[in-house]
Amino acid sequence: MKPAVKTLLSVAMIFVFAFAFGGLRICGGNTPLEPLTRGASTIRHFGTQDPVMIPVDYEEKDYELRGVWIATVFQLNMPLHQNEAQYKAAFSEVIDRVVDANMNAVFFQVRPMNDAFYDSELAPFSRYLTGSEGTDPGWDVMEYLVEYSHSRGIEFHAWLNPYRVGNSSLSKSAFLNTLHPDNFARQNPDLVIAGHEANGLHPYILNPGEPAVRTYIRAVIDELVTLYDVDGVHFDDYFYPYS
């Protein structure tokens, strides 16, 4: 399926939360501004004398994005796949709640740990889909998620953790050997970096400073938007080893 991708890439730094832009109003960078007032008082930025500036004129829009994040890592919002009927029912229940809450988009976590919720040439099936990395669920889960969302009037946005490989108490070499042979990190250990141990675990990520990693992530996105009619691709927290 060749998609008509509305939004290719945005960066979101929140893990799981719903947001709304009430009465979305758009203005250009050259729009004249004026101080915001309430009665005879000028509203100022907290702790300063700087006035809050707002556009003189607004262009009212008739579209707003009201989205909710659906986390798959650690089964936070979706259960492990047992069979096709069970997984479809679980997702249908989630979409029912989204519709009841008057949302119009979901941001579904399709790449939680350098893996995929679809049959990818670049990453193994996610352990958070089938319970074991690289295990094929036997049907096109992603196609259903996208098409069912659209059938309910809900946009489907693919949420990726682009660099995170995993957290483990094992050394890097030992941990990478636990991954599926098709995992890019296992195949390229020199592209994986680790942070200092915290709570007994090392954070392992693909090194975003390496050109090969950036090329790989671009290929992941290209494959995703070529295979599926997603409405957007989003990066969540990069999980840098802050140490």
Side-chain angles (χ1 to χ4, degrees), residues 5 10-11 24 34 43 64 66 85-86 101 121 123 131 136 138 141 143 155 165 179-180 187 199 208 216 227 243:
V5 179
S10 72
V11 179
L24 183 65
E34 63 183 0
I43 306 302
E64 62 183 15
R66 303 184 303 277
Q86 166 262 347
E121 295 292 328
D136 189 336
V141 174
E143 182 178 38
E155 294 181 14
V165 178
L179 302 179
H180 191 274
Q187 295 174 344
N199 299 319
Y216 169 67
L227 290 174
S243 55

mmCIF file of all heavy atoms in Angstrom, residues 5 10-11 24 34 43 64 66 85-86 101 121 123 131 136 138 141 143 155 165 179-180 187 199 208 216 227 243:
data_model
loop_
_atom_site.group_PDB
_atom_site.id
_atom_site.type_symbol
_atom_site.label_atom_id
_atom_site.label_comp_id
_atom_site.label_asym_id
_atom_site.label_seq_id
_atom_site.Cartn_x
_atom_site.Cartn_y
_atom_site.Cartn_z
ATOM 1 N N VAL A 5 0.910 10.097 3.302
ATOM 2 C CA VAL A 5 1.332 10.442 4.655
ATOM 3 C C VAL A 5 1.109 11.926 4.893
ATOM 4 O O VAL A 5 1.639 12.758 4.186
ATOM 5 C CB VAL A 5 2.816 10.100 4.870
ATOM 6 C CG1 VAL A 5 3.250 10.476 6.280
ATOM 7 C CG2 VAL A 5 3.033 8.624 4.643
ATOM 8 N N SER A 10 7.406 14.110 13.670
ATOM 9 C CA SER A 10 7.351 15.095 14.745
ATOM 10 C C SER A 10 8.028 14.486 15.942
ATOM 11 O O SER A 10 8.211 13.282 16.027
ATOM 12 C CB SER A 10 5.911 15.503 15.066
ATOM 13 O OG SER A 10 5.241 14.469 15.717
ATOM 14 N N VAL A 11 8.454 15.314 16.862
ATOM 15 C CA VAL A 11 9.160 14.830 18.032
ATOM 16 C C VAL A 11 8.292 15.053 19.250
ATOM 17 O O VAL A 11 7.829 16.153 19.483
ATOM 18 C CB VAL A 11 10.498 15.556 18.209
ATOM 19 C CG1 VAL A 11 11.210 15.045 19.461
ATOM 20 C CG2 VAL A 11 11.383 15.320 16.992
ATOM 21 N N LEU A 24 -8.019 25.369 17.579
ATOM 22 C CA LEU A 24 -6.687 25.586 17.010
ATOM 23 C C LEU A 24 -6.658 26.841 16.155
ATOM 24 O O LEU A 24 -7.476 27.034 15.274
ATOM 25 C CB LEU A 24 -6.292 24.375 16.167
ATOM 26 C CG LEU A 24 -4.907 24.411 15.552
ATOM 27 C CD1 LEU A 24 -3.854 24.377 16.647
ATOM 28 C CD2 LEU A 24 -4.726 23.243 14.608
ATOM 29 N N GLU A 34 0.216 41.925 19.514
ATOM 30 C CA GLU A 34 -0.177 42.951 20.464
ATOM 31 C C GLU A 34 -0.183 42.346 21.859
ATOM 32 O O GLU A 34 -0.316 41.130 22.017
ATOM 33 C CB GLU A 34 -1.549 43.507 20.123
ATOM 34 C CG GLU A 34 -2.675 42.479 20.214
ATOM 35 C CD GLU A 34 -4.022 43.051 19.804
ATOM 36 O OE1 GLU A 34 -4.077 44.236 19.456
ATOM 37 O OE2 GLU A 34 -5.015 42.286 19.837
ATOM 38 N N ILE A 43 -1.264 41.314 30.687
ATOM 39 C CA ILE A 43 -0.787 40.030 31.206
ATOM 40 C C ILE A 43 0.699 39.899 30.879
ATOM 41 O O ILE A 43 1.106 40.060 29.723
ATOM 42 C CB ILE A 43 -1.571 38.856 30.603
ATOM 43 C CG1 ILE A 43 -3.077 39.055 30.799
ATOM 44 C CG2 ILE A 43 -1.104 37.536 31.209
ATOM 45 C CD1 ILE A 43 -3.489 39.212 32.253
ATOM 46 N N GLU A 64 -8.609 20.074 14.392
ATOM 47 C CA GLU A 64 -7.722 20.017 15.545
ATOM 48 C C GLU A 64 -7.325 18.579 15.789
ATOM 49 O O GLU A 64 -8.057 17.643 15.455
ATOM 50 C CB GLU A 64 -8.374 20.621 16.796
ATOM 51 C CG GLU A 64 -9.629 19.913 17.265
ATOM 52 C CD GLU A 64 -10.260 20.618 18.464
ATOM 53 O OE1 GLU A 64 -9.893 21.768 18.735
ATOM 54 O OE2 GLU A 64 -11.123 20.005 19.113
ATOM 55 N N ARG A 66 -6.581 15.674 18.369
ATOM 56 C CA ARG A 66 -6.849 15.245 19.740
ATOM 57 C C ARG A 66 -6.389 13.789 19.845
ATOM 58 O O ARG A 66 -7.108 12.877 19.465
ATOM 59 C CB ARG A 66 -8.337 15.377 20.076
ATOM 60 C CG ARG A 66 -8.887 16.795 19.881
ATOM 61 C CD ARG A 66 -10.343 16.918 20.312
ATOM 62 N NE ARG A 66 -11.205 15.976 19.611
ATOM 63 C CZ ARG A 66 -11.711 16.193 18.397
ATOM 64 N NH1 ARG A 66 -11.430 17.325 17.749
ATOM 65 N NH2 ARG A 66 -12.493 15.300 17.820
ATOM 66 N N ALA A 85 -8.081 -13.092 16.961
ATOM 67 C CA ALA A 85 -9.340 -12.592 17.501
ATOM 68 C C ALA A 85 -9.139 -11.844 18.808
ATOM 69 O O ALA A 85 -9.746 -10.788 19.049
ATOM 70 C CB ALA A 85 -10.319 -13.747 17.700
ATOM 71 N N GLN A 86 -8.284 -12.392 19.674
ATOM 72 C CA GLN A 86 -8.029 -11.758 20.978
ATOM 73 C C GLN A 86 -7.395 -10.392 20.817
ATOM 74 O O GLN A 86 -7.774 -9.423 21.484
ATOM 75 C CB GLN A 86 -7.130 -12.675 21.823
ATOM 76 C CG GLN A 86 -6.520 -12.027 23.048
ATOM 77 C CD GLN A 86 -5.071 -11.556 22.806
ATOM 78 O OE1 GLN A 86 -4.446 -11.926 21.794
ATOM 79 N NE2 GLN A 86 -4.555 -10.754 23.703
ATOM 80 N N ALA A 101 -13.996 9.236 24.319
ATOM 81 C CA ALA A 101 -13.334 10.419 24.878
ATOM 82 C C ALA A 101 -13.251 11.568 23.872
ATOM 83 O O ALA A 101 -12.637 12.591 24.159
ATOM 84 C CB ALA A 101 -11.940 10.051 25.370
ATOM 85 N N GLU A 121 11.829 -5.873 7.117
ATOM 86 C CA GLU A 121 13.106 -6.371 6.634
ATOM 87 C C GLU A 121 14.257 -5.819 7.472
ATOM 88 O O GLU A 121 15.401 -6.255 7.315
ATOM 89 C CB GLU A 121 13.303 -5.957 5.172
ATOM 90 C CG GLU A 121 12.317 -6.575 4.196
ATOM 91 C CD GLU A 121 12.525 -8.073 4.051
ATOM 92 O OE1 GLU A 121 13.690 -8.528 4.170
ATOM 93 O OE2 GLU A 121 11.525 -8.788 3.828
ATOM 94 N N ALA A 123 13.982 -5.062 11.114
ATOM 95 C CA ALA A 123 13.904 -5.307 12.552
ATOM 96 C C ALA A 123 13.035 -6.524 12.811
ATOM 97 O O ALA A 123 12.087 -6.787 12.053
ATOM 98 C CB ALA A 123 13.328 -4.085 13.271
ATOM 99 N N GLY A 131 5.631 -11.866 22.628
ATOM 100 C CA GLY A 131 6.245 -12.425 23.825
ATOM 101 C C GLY A 131 7.661 -12.905 23.605
ATOM 102 O O GLY A 131 8.395 -13.127 24.565
ATOM 103 N N ASP A 136 6.700 -14.463 14.607
ATOM 104 C CA ASP A 136 5.686 -13.945 13.703
ATOM 105 C C ASP A 136 4.295 -14.246 14.265
ATOM 106 O O ASP A 136 3.990 -15.400 14.562
ATOM 107 C CB ASP A 136 5.854 -14.610 12.337
ATOM 108 C CG ASP A 136 4.996 -13.985 11.248
ATOM 109 O OD1 ASP A 136 3.966 -13.359 11.568
ATOM 110 O OD2 ASP A 136 5.351 -14.137 10.064
ATOM 111 N N GLY A 138 1.634 -14.328 12.632
ATOM 112 C CA GLY A 138 0.905 -15.120 11.649
ATOM 113 C C GLY A 138 -0.104 -14.341 10.828
ATOM 114 O O GLY A 138 -0.779 -14.926 9.971
ATOM 115 N N VAL A 141 -0.730 -7.656 11.644
ATOM 116 C CA VAL A 141 -1.298 -6.895 12.763
ATOM 117 C C VAL A 141 -1.384 -5.414 12.413
ATOM 118 O O VAL A 141 -2.402 -4.750 12.630
ATOM 119 C CB VAL A 141 -0.456 -7.108 14.039
ATOM 120 C CG1 VAL A 141 -0.943 -6.203 15.167
ATOM 121 C CG2 VAL A 141 -0.498 -8.569 14.469
ATOM 122 N N GLU A 143 -1.486 -3.788 9.567
ATOM 123 C CA GLU A 143 -2.492 -3.445 8.568
ATOM 124 C C GLU A 143 -3.863 -3.321 9.219
ATOM 125 O O GLU A 143 -4.624 -2.387 8.939
ATOM 126 C CB GLU A 143 -2.532 -4.480 7.454
ATOM 127 C CG GLU A 143 -3.535 -4.158 6.355
ATOM 128 C CD GLU A 143 -3.526 -5.176 5.232
ATOM 129 O OE1 GLU A 143 -3.377 -6.380 5.533
ATOM 130 O OE2 GLU A 143 -3.652 -4.769 4.061
ATOM 131 N N GLU A 155 -7.329 8.794 13.220
ATOM 132 C CA GLU A 155 -6.017 8.778 12.571
ATOM 133 C C GLU A 155 -5.106 7.791 13.298
ATOM 134 O O GLU A 155 -5.165 7.665 14.520
ATOM 135 C CB GLU A 155 -5.383 10.168 12.612
ATOM 136 C CG GLU A 155 -6.104 11.218 11.800
ATOM 137 C CD GLU A 155 -5.400 12.564 11.861
ATOM 138 O OE1 GLU A 155 -4.229 12.610 12.313
ATOM 139 O OE2 GLU A 155 -6.017 13.570 11.466
ATOM 140 N N VAL A 165 17.536 0.144 22.557
ATOM 141 C CA VAL A 165 17.722 -1.286 22.290
ATOM 142 C C VAL A 165 17.223 -2.108 23.469
ATOM 143 O O VAL A 165 16.613 -3.161 23.300
ATOM 144 C CB VAL A 165 19.205 -1.608 22.010
ATOM 145 C CG1 VAL A 165 19.397 -3.106 21.789
ATOM 146 C CG2 VAL A 165 19.701 -0.827 20.804
ATOM 147 N N LEU A 179 19.541 -11.064 21.921
ATOM 148 C CA LEU A 179 18.619 -10.534 20.924
ATOM 149 C C LEU A 179 18.520 -11.469 19.722
ATOM 150 O O LEU A 179 19.378 -12.323 19.493
ATOM 151 C CB LEU A 179 19.082 -9.145 20.465
ATOM 152 C CG LEU A 179 19.215 -8.084 21.569
ATOM 153 C CD1 LEU A 179 19.710 -6.771 20.970
ATOM 154 C CD2 LEU A 179 17.894 -7.879 22.294
ATOM 155 N N HIS A 180 17.482 -11.280 18.938
ATOM 156 C CA HIS A 180 17.278 -12.076 17.735
ATOM 157 C C HIS A 180 18.425 -11.817 16.756
ATOM 158 O O HIS A 180 18.937 -10.688 16.664
ATOM 159 C CB HIS A 180 15.945 -11.694 17.098
ATOM 160 C CG HIS A 180 15.508 -12.613 16.005
ATOM 161 N ND1 HIS A 180 15.916 -12.458 14.690
ATOM 162 C CD2 HIS A 180 14.712 -13.711 16.021
ATOM 163 C CE1 HIS A 180 15.386 -13.402 13.950
ATOM 164 N NE2 HIS A 180 14.648 -14.186 14.726
ATOM 165 N N GLN A 187 23.729 -7.233 15.237
ATOM 166 C CA GLN A 187 24.575 -7.325 14.049
ATOM 167 C C GLN A 187 25.655 -6.247 14.019
ATOM 168 O O GLN A 187 26.654 -6.402 13.328
ATOM 169 C CB GLN A 187 23.698 -7.210 12.794
ATOM 170 C CG GLN A 187 22.721 -8.360 12.605
ATOM 171 C CD GLN A 187 21.790 -8.122 11.438
ATOM 172 O OE1 GLN A 187 21.667 -6.989 10.944
ATOM 173 N NE2 GLN A 187 21.105 -9.173 10.997
ATOM 174 N N ASN A 199 19.921 1.312 39.046
ATOM 175 C CA ASN A 199 18.979 0.309 39.542
ATOM 176 C C ASN A 199 19.294 -1.085 39.006
ATOM 177 O O ASN A 199 18.400 -1.872 38.705
ATOM 178 C CB ASN A 199 17.540 0.693 39.182
ATOM 179 C CG ASN A 199 17.123 2.015 39.794
ATOM 180 O OD1 ASN A 199 17.439 2.297 40.950
ATOM 181 N ND2 ASN A 199 16.427 2.833 39.027
ATOM 182 N N PRO A 208 23.201 7.661 18.138
ATOM 183 C CA PRO A 208 22.674 8.563 17.111
ATOM 184 C C PRO A 208 23.748 9.425 16.470
ATOM 185 O O PRO A 208 23.490 10.080 15.448
ATOM 186 C CB PRO A 208 21.660 9.424 17.880
ATOM 187 C CG PRO A 208 22.136 9.390 19.290
ATOM 188 C CD PRO A 208 22.739 8.032 19.500
ATOM 189 N N TYR A 216 20.163 3.982 9.018
ATOM 190 C CA TYR A 216 19.284 2.863 9.364
ATOM 191 C C TYR A 216 17.905 3.364 9.790
ATOM 192 O O TYR A 216 16.874 2.833 9.336
ATOM 193 C CB TYR A 216 19.929 2.043 10.483
ATOM 194 C CG TYR A 216 19.011 1.032 11.111
ATOM 195 C CD1 TYR A 216 18.545 -0.070 10.402
ATOM 196 C CD2 TYR A 216 18.599 1.175 12.436
ATOM 197 C CE1 TYR A 216 17.705 -1.001 10.981
ATOM 198 C CE2 TYR A 216 17.763 0.253 13.030
ATOM 199 C CZ TYR A 216 17.314 -0.829 12.305
ATOM 200 O OH TYR A 216 16.473 -1.740 12.887
ATOM 201 N N LEU A 227 4.912 0.673 3.496
ATOM 202 C CA LEU A 227 4.063 -0.492 3.733
ATOM 203 C C LEU A 227 2.661 -0.132 4.213
ATOM 204 O O LEU A 227 1.695 -0.831 3.894
ATOM 205 C CB LEU A 227 4.713 -1.415 4.770
ATOM 206 C CG LEU A 227 5.977 -2.171 4.360
ATOM 207 C CD1 LEU A 227 6.555 -2.921 5.551
ATOM 208 C CD2 LEU A 227 5.665 -3.144 3.221
ATOM 209 N N SER A 243 24.144 9.534 31.712
ATOM 210 C CA SER A 243 25.471 9.548 32.343
ATOM 211 C C SER A 243 26.563 9.810 31.322
ATOM 212 O O SER A 243 27.700 10.065 31.704
ATOM 213 C CB SER A 243 25.705 8.200 33.018
ATOM 214 O OG SER A 243 25.542 7.136 32.097
#
